[in-house]
Amino acid sequence: MEAQLQELKTQALDKITAASTVKELNDVRVAYLGKKGPITDLLKGMGKLPAEERPKMGALVNVVREEVTTQLEGRMVILEEEAINQKLQSETIDITLPGRPVKTGNPHPLTRVVEEIEDLFISMGYEVAEGPEVEKDYYNFEALNLPKGHPARDMQDSFYITEDILLRTHTSPVQARTMEAKGGEPIKIICPGKVYRRDSDDATHSHQFTQIEGLVIGEDIRMSDLKGTLSVFAKKMFGDDREIRLRPSFFPFTEPSVEMDISCFKCGGSGCNVCKKTGWIEILGAGMVHPNVLEMAGYDSKRLTGFAFGMGPERIAMLKYGVEDIRHFYTNDVRFLSQFQRTEL
Amino acid sequence: MLVSINWLKDYVNTQQLPPAELGEKITRSGIEVDAVIDRSHGMTNIVVGYVESCVKHPEADKLSICQVNVGEETTQIICGAPNIAAGQKVIVARPGAKLPGDIKIKKAKLRGEESHGMICSLQELGIEGKLVPKAYAEGIYVLPEDAETGSDVLTNFDLNDTVLELGLTPNRADAMSMIGVAYEVGAILSEEVKLPEISYKEASDTAASMLTLNVDAPEANPLYVAKVVRNIKVQESPMWLQQRLMSAGVRPHNNVVDVTNYILMEYGQPLHAFDYDLLETGNITVRHAKEGEMITTLDDAERKLSGHQLVITNGEKPVAIAGVMGGADSEVSEATTTVVIESAYFESGSVRQTSKDHGLRSDASSRYEKGVDPNRVIPAAERAAQLLSELAGGEVLAGSVVFDELNKEEKIVKVSPDFINSRLGMKISFEDMWDILNRLKFNTEAANGQLVISVPTRRQDIQIPEDVIEEIARLYGYDEIPATLPEAETTPGGLTPYQAKRRIVRSLLEGAGLLQATTYSLTSEKSAKQFALEETETTRLLMPMSEERSILRQSLLPHLLESVTYNTARRMDSVALYETGSVFLKGDDELLNEQEHLAVAITGLWLDNSWQGEKKPVDFFVLKGIVETLGTKLGVQLTFERGQMDDLHPGRTAFIMLDGHRIGVIGQLHPSEQKERDLKTTVVMELNLALLLNIETAALLYTPVPRYPSMSRDVALVLSKIVEAGTIETVIRNAGGKLLKDVRVFDLYEGDKMEEGKKSVAFSLTYFDPEKTLTDEEVINAHEKVLAALTEVGAELRS
């Protein structure tokens, strides 16, 4: 019986080693250790042994059974791992295939520029003011120190609807309206919007374009405050190392008037094609609010002073992004529009 | 304004500054120099030649063989100009010469004959064709007989010169003259200005003996000076004069016209010369035109005059439109022997209006419009008399015929140094201010701590203290202004709720995959009302530039769809665009009713994940989903009502409703409209965004997260095809009681397994009680009521 037991053990261990799948190994378990297996049979047959042999024999059977069980479990761990590996292997995907597209759009490049400027001035305490695109001659011109017949009206050829109603030629009427509404109180606003002028559309002209203007009115507002404000704007918008310079200019609604140049953000001032070799790029017009404009809106120009500035988002977008033709902003070619997706931060 | 630096030096010392540096100084102190133009264009080796002989080329009709003395030698040059002749002094580019446009002159053989150089036209020297005197416009330029053979043409012709092109703002009318620019440069460089010295011999007869003057419109013409010059010889001007006019962009004509133009450029004072004999009456009367009166102007155009327009007459009929253009009848010609020179002050508004009426802008009118210097009217007339006696051999009659009611006093502006500094945020010393005002030649006195400034009449732009501040600041240097920030109380700043919500709408739409477009507000009659949400009259521009851009749009979709077609025509088949912008409706008052709208247009594939086999073309429901989400995001309840609109698919169109009002439309384009626009299936939406954004939404309060489970029941119904799911949903909601929390369509079947004219719609109903766990019985009770209601409306339960 002992020899029979050893024989069984050898057989079982061979089969365990030979089993190559979890299923085969389970079959081995059932065959040798199951209720109908030979080891169980041996244990059942112990009753026939003499009583003194039974403990010895019982211990021997248990040893064999434990050894077979241990081997089998060890083998099982290996085979299970192999099985998992095989499954994982078969589940491998081609990770170079494209991902499921996430549908995203983006703002128009002009909106992008306008919102950037809005946010910048909002952070400096400005409110955003808007007004009608179809305007009264009074707000578009007269309230801005441009009476009928003023030669400076030629600077802005206009689309009239009636003698007194026109498409606004700048966003300045929003300033005039805000001043009138504020009734002599301090103001800090930024005014974005569409404007219209009688220009034939070409690479650098558009009969419709956008403007964004700022107006600050308060006690003791000085020209140095204008320069400081524009300097902060230039650095935030075009980079910390931007220098600004002011040049005298003329606008009927400001006195003194200036144009602001920034040091070229491409070449840093050494001269390139963006700045036309001058090192400077003209960005905006500005000035101290003309006393006539203040008085017409009911402000005491002796007590309150102010500054105003205005710029063209098209020009800024063209400079910033290197766009060569203003018409791109109005054609809505998706190959153009979709380029303004990513952040620049 | 084109300013020749050589000419400018007559009046002011430019300190030998290189032209670019001078230009930069002018720009930085107030007048923008747009261009610095080198008139020599790098030309070399161009000399005066004397044509000793000139014969026809035996092999070519149009060519001449010339023997030309060029100083050192006589050389053969072939010339193709029609006006070449022996005995002429001409411009010769010698072999090795450089001409503008990178042209190098070499020895050449033309039809077998050697040519040692080229005889040049003025155009070949880089002068614009429209500036070349008419006599030489089609050929070579002929120099005066006294030009020295072999001498350098660039020197002779004063082409070693640089022109500064000034971009003048309307306020700086004073710089529309050489003398005005000299004052500016003098102020910048601290140099004195030297005015022309005027002297000439007068005849014993007086101008008044030949000419009488009446001014019947003294408001429009407060000063009129006429001088009479007789025995003149009208001929070509001397070279220096022609050259200077060309440098200023004026074409030389004859000595009389050239003198008036020269003085226009020099003084900024327009002059006009009449042929005295052609005036016929020996009288000049300035008056308003009679309505309908006619005049033929110098440009040979016949013009009808109106009552508000000022004219110069000979007492009977108009001979010039005042300040705008002379008449052809009294034009100076070679036959003229006596001229009347007019120098006048015409009121700017009158000239501006007249010039606008006739669409005529001349060098004269553009100066009158901006206001000429009252104190230069008389000197300009005197200067003309001097030059005509010098250059045309004229005899100037004594005195002038004058009407003068013009105020020529200088404006006084008072300003304190403290005021100047407080407005600038600077600390400029009194001495520096004093010095700047002196450099500007503003007579200034100091009294009671104030600067009392007499502003010269040439500077009509200086009216108020702020104007003086600008003068001081610009000449002191804008670079010296410190950078500060306003010291006022800080304010919070920010967007209005409307503006903030507009940004939310944008980001929602962009997140959903739409690109923001921007289109034009001006459109054509045809597109103005297509897809408009309201019926109103259209608004047309008074003077549109084209029919395409003549009307204000009443909807955004037509242009947005044009953009879609633009893209599909370029093989971008899937396009999803949105735009926010104003539409313009007729309003109650004179201003229009501007409404901000939102429009969306989508075409092609909405979802394209082709390798995984997922492709979904756009349809009505894609866009409806976006609109629904928009409502959710803004906290408003948007509903949809079946509707019809021209150019939209009659079965696939709905109005977007808010509180029972139509605020928008959504639908698929009508197949014929799609065809018209060359589009495949395209779904569009437009709504009144302003209405939506103006709704104040309630404060957001949280609803407790459910603590008890909900239960759902599904029902599949067989319905007639014409019954809408929305109707059934309403039936269910009404019947479901307060336990019914949600109803959702989860399946629609219209396939062959259905009886003809029927469809199956399956709803999922969710029951929920926030207070406790629902019992089966409660759900069954509620659901029974729903089923009963459904049966009542004829919906069959699908087995």
Side-chain angles (χ1 to χ4, degrees), chain A residues 100 105 108 111 115 118-119 125 128 130 133-134 160 196 198 208 223-225 227 255 257 332 334, chain B residues 423 467 470 478 481 484 491 494 499 502-503 506 510 516 518 520-521 542-543 563 567 594 614:
Chain A
R100 173 187 290 272
H108 191 278
T111 304
E115 286 192 358
E118 279 177 2
D119 290 344
V128 178
E130 295 170 286
E133 292 170 30
V134 174
Y160 276 90
Y196 306 85
R198 286 182 66 88
Q208 174 181 325
M223 195 152 164
S224 56
D225 298 331
K227 191 172 182 181
E255 187 70 39
S257 302
N332 302 309
V334 300
Chain B
R423 286 290 193 264
D467 296 323
E470 179 170 70
Y478 277 7
I481 300 174
T484 58
T491 44
Q499 292 161 347
R502 178 164 51 204
R503 287 198 183 186
R506 281 193 197 131
E510 285 152 19
Q516 190 190 17
T518 304
Y520 295 133
S521 304
L542 279 183
M543 285 195 301
S563 293
N567 282 291
E594 273 179 51
E614 297 167 321

Side-chain angles (χ1 to χ4, degrees), chain A residues 77-148:
Chain A
V77 169
I78 291 165
L79 288 179
E80 275 176 353
E81 200 178 299
E82 266 175 26
I84 286 172
N85 283 343
Q86 238 169 42
K87 183 163 191 282
L88 290 178
Q89 181 73 37
S90 72
E91 284 173 357
T92 299
I93 54 168
D94 178 355
I95 54 92
T96 65
L97 284 166
R100 173 187 290 272
V102 174
K103 216 169 164 58
T104 55
N106 55 259
H108 191 278
L110 294 175
T111 304
R112 187 179 162 122
V113 168
V114 168
E115 286 192 358
E116 193 176 340
I117 297 171
E118 279 177 2
D119 290 344
L120 205 156
F121 282 100
I122 287 171
S123 75
M124 291 164 79
Y126 289 64
E127 287 174 347
V128 178
E130 295 170 286
E133 292 170 30
V134 174
E135 219 0 314
K136 293 184 178 172
D137 185 276
Y138 176 79
Y139 290 112
N140 194 73
F141 288 129
E142 278 178 57
L144 300 166
N145 201 27
L146 273 154
K148 285 208 160 73

Side-chain angles (χ1 to χ4, degrees), chain B residues 717 723-737 740 743 763 765 785-795:
Chain B
L717 302 170
V723 174
E724 292 179 335
T727 314
I728 299 303
E729 185 183 322
T730 310
V731 170
I732 296 174
R733 282 191 189 276
N734 290 342
L740 180 64
V743 181
F763 292 87
L765 285 66
K785 283 182 193 152
V786 170
L787 296 180
L790 286 171
T791 313
E792 205 166 302
V793 297

Side-chain angles (χ1 to χ4, degrees), chain B residues 467-528:
Chain B
D467 296 323
V468 174
I469 294 178
E470 179 170 70
E471 291 302 297
I472 287 176
R474 73 183 180 93
L475 288 168
Y476 192 77
Y478 277 7
D479 286 347
E480 305 303 319
I481 300 174
T484 58
L485 287 174
E487 282 163 7
E489 225 177 299
T490 50
T491 44
L495 297 171
T496 62
Y498 184 102
Q499 292 161 347
K501 283 194 273 186
R502 178 164 51 204
R503 287 198 183 186
I504 289 167
V505 168
R506 281 193 197 131
S507 71
L508 170 88
L509 296 173
E510 285 152 19
L514 303 169
L515 283 169
Q516 190 190 17
T518 304
T519 64
Y520 295 133
S521 304
L522 288 170
T523 188
S524 61
E525 184 81 55
K526 184 173 161 278
S527 294

